[in-house]
Amino acid sequence: MERIILLCMVSTCVSAVHAQKFLFSPKWGPIGYKAREEAEDGTAMDKIIKANEFQASRVIDGTTTLREGDIAVTSGRRSKVCFARSCLWSKSVDGHVYIAYKLSEDYTDLETKVIKKGMENIEKGTCVRFVPRTHQRDYVDIQPKSGCWSYLGARGGKQTVSLQSPDCLQVGVIAHEFMHALGFVHEQSRFDRDNYVTIMWPNIWRDRLRNFEKFRTESLDLPYDYGSIMHFGKFAYSQDGQPTIIPKNSKDIKLGQASSLSHIDKLKINKLYQCGDTDDY
C-alpha cells in the first residue's frame, strides 16, 4: 500500500513539472517570456511586457482594456483616441507644463523615491514638472494596480497610472508610462516605421499581432528614434525566441532603452508642448 502511495506521489510530481513546463514555455506561457529571460539588456518595454503578460487577462475592468501591451483604452463616452496634440496637458504662463499627481499611500517610502526618480527622468531637460496635487482638477492618480499601464495623453479629471509593486517600480518603466500620459505612443507605431525597421510577423504570437499596428501619429519632424524609451525591444512578443523587430540599417542597432529617456525623447516633449529651447537639449 505504501508503495502505491509513493508511486502516486511521484506521478503527481512529474505531472506538475510537465504542467509547469507547459505553462511557461514560449509557445504556451506568457508571451515573450523566454526571449526576455534570455536577454541581458532588456528594455523598459520588455519589463512591462513581462509584468503585464502574467495577468490572466488584458482587461483592466469591465470597460477598459490594454492596447499595445500597456496603453489603457476605455470604451464608451471617454474612448476617444489621443495622438500628439489632441490631448495635451495645459502649459503654464511661465512656460512649464505642470502635471499634478496623487500617490497611493500603499507605496513604501523607498518605492515613493523610485517613482519620483522616474518623474525626474522626465523633468530633466524638458519643461515638464510633476507637482503633488492640491486643488487641480486634472491629475494622475498613481496606484499599485495590476501591471504597468497608463492612459494616453490628458483625459480630463483623474486618470490612473498603474505601477504595480515591485514589477513596475523601475525608473525606465515609470518614465515610459509617464510618456504615455504625456501623449506619446510607442516609437515603432509611427506611420513611417517600415522605412526603419522590419516587423517579423511570423515570429510574433498570433494574438499579439495588433500590438504592432501603425498609427498616423505626429512625428514632430524628428528622426526615427531606435533608442527611444518608447521603442519595443528586439524580441517583444516573440513566440519562439526569434526577433520580432529588426532595424533596416544595421542589425547591430540596439532597440529601446532600459532606464532613461533618449535625447530625442526629450526633444519630442519640448516640441510637442512648444516649450523650452529644443536646440539646447
Side-chain angles (χ1 to χ4, degrees):
M1 184 67 181
E2 292 179 355
R3 182 174 297 178
I4 293 174
I5 294 174
L6 179 61
L7 287 173
C8 289
M9 291 175 65
V10 171
S11 176
T12 301
C13 291
V14 171
S15 298
V17 169
H18 283 300
Q20 185 180 36
K21 288 182 178 179
F22 174 84
L23 289 172
F24 288 95
S25 69
K27 185 173 182 180
W28 300 104
I31 314 306
Y33 178 82
K34 178 179 178 182
R36 289 193 300 280
E37 284 297 296
E38 292 177 349
E40 296 180 357
D41 55 349
T43 67
M45 189 62 199
D46 288 331
K47 297 169 185 175
I48 291 168
I49 292 172
K50 184 174 181 179
N52 290 358
E53 287 298 329
F54 274 103
Q55 299 177 131
S57 171
R58 288 175 293 162
V59 177
I60 300 170
D61 57 36
T63 60
T64 304
T65 57
L66 295 182
R67 184 184 66 204
E68 294 188 49
D70 69 331
I71 299 175
V73 179
T74 302
S75 60
R77 181 175 58 87
R78 300 181 66 187
S79 63
K80 71 173 181 175
V81 177
C82 300
F83 288 130
R85 302 187 187 283
S86 61
C87 296
L88 297 188
W89 295 83
S90 59
K91 186 169 64 174
S92 174
V93 292
D94 68 1
H96 287 99
V97 176
Y98 293 100
I99 297 180
Y101 69 89
K102 180 180 178 182
L103 201 57
S104 170
E105 295 181 355
D106 292 333
Y107 290 117
T108 66
D109 289 344
L110 181 59
E111 291 170 338
T112 296
K113 289 180 181 179
V114 174
I115 293 172
K116 289 184 177 179
K117 284 184 179 179
M119 294 177 179
E120 291 169 3
N121 200 325
I122 296 282
E123 293 176 336
K124 187 176 180 180
T126 77
C127 60
V128 172
R129 298 292 182 268
F130 291 93
V131 296
R133 181 183 183 242
T134 53
H135 62 282
Q136 296 89 341
R137 175 184 176 275
D138 302 337
Y139 67 101
V140 291
D141 185 34
I142 306 168
Q143 296 284 339
K145 292 182 177 291
S146 180
C148 329
W149 48 266
S150 171
Y151 290 93
L152 191 62
R155 289 162 50 86
K158 180 179 76 171
Q159 64 184 75
T160 302
V161 170
S162 174
L163 297 174
Q164 176 184 326
S165 176
D167 301 323
C168 307
L169 294 182
Q170 301 174 61
V171 173
V173 170
I174 295 164
H176 180 106
E177 296 307 334
F178 283 138
M179 284 288 283
H180 282 318
L182 283 168
F184 295 97
V185 294
H186 297 119
E187 185 70 5
Q188 78 287 333
S189 295
R190 282 175 51 151
F191 194 73
D192 62 349
R193 66 105 185 273
D194 292 332
N195 296 328
Y196 306 96
V197 297
T198 299
I199 305 300
M200 307 300 291
W201 298 103
N203 298 340
I204 301 170
W205 190 255
R206 61 183 177 274
D207 65 354
R208 296 297 188 268
L209 292 173
R210 290 193 62 185
N211 289 348
F212 292 80
E213 291 180 345
K214 293 185 293 184
F215 298 96
R216 287 192 176 278
T217 56
E218 172 62 68
S219 68
L220 301 170
D221 295 322
L222 290 170
Y224 189 88
D225 188 10
Y226 293 104
S228 171
I229 193 78
M230 305 306 289
H231 206 299
F232 277 15
K234 186 177 181 181
F235 299 94
Y237 298 105
S238 173
Q239 67 168 331
D240 52 10
Q242 296 300 308
T244 54
I245 308 177
I246 297 178
K248 286 185 179 293
N249 295 336
S250 171
K251 293 183 179 180
D252 295 329
I253 293 177
K254 183 183 182 301
L255 300 179
Q257 287 283 347
S259 60
S260 62
L261 271 65
S262 71
H263 175 71
I264 297 178
D265 283 330
K266 295 177 185 295
L267 291 177
K268 287 177 189 173
I269 294 174
N270 288 335
K271 290 202 73 171
L272 179 61
Y273 283 90
Q274 299 179 345
C275 55
D277 187 347
T278 56
D279 292 334
D280 289 342
Y281 297 115

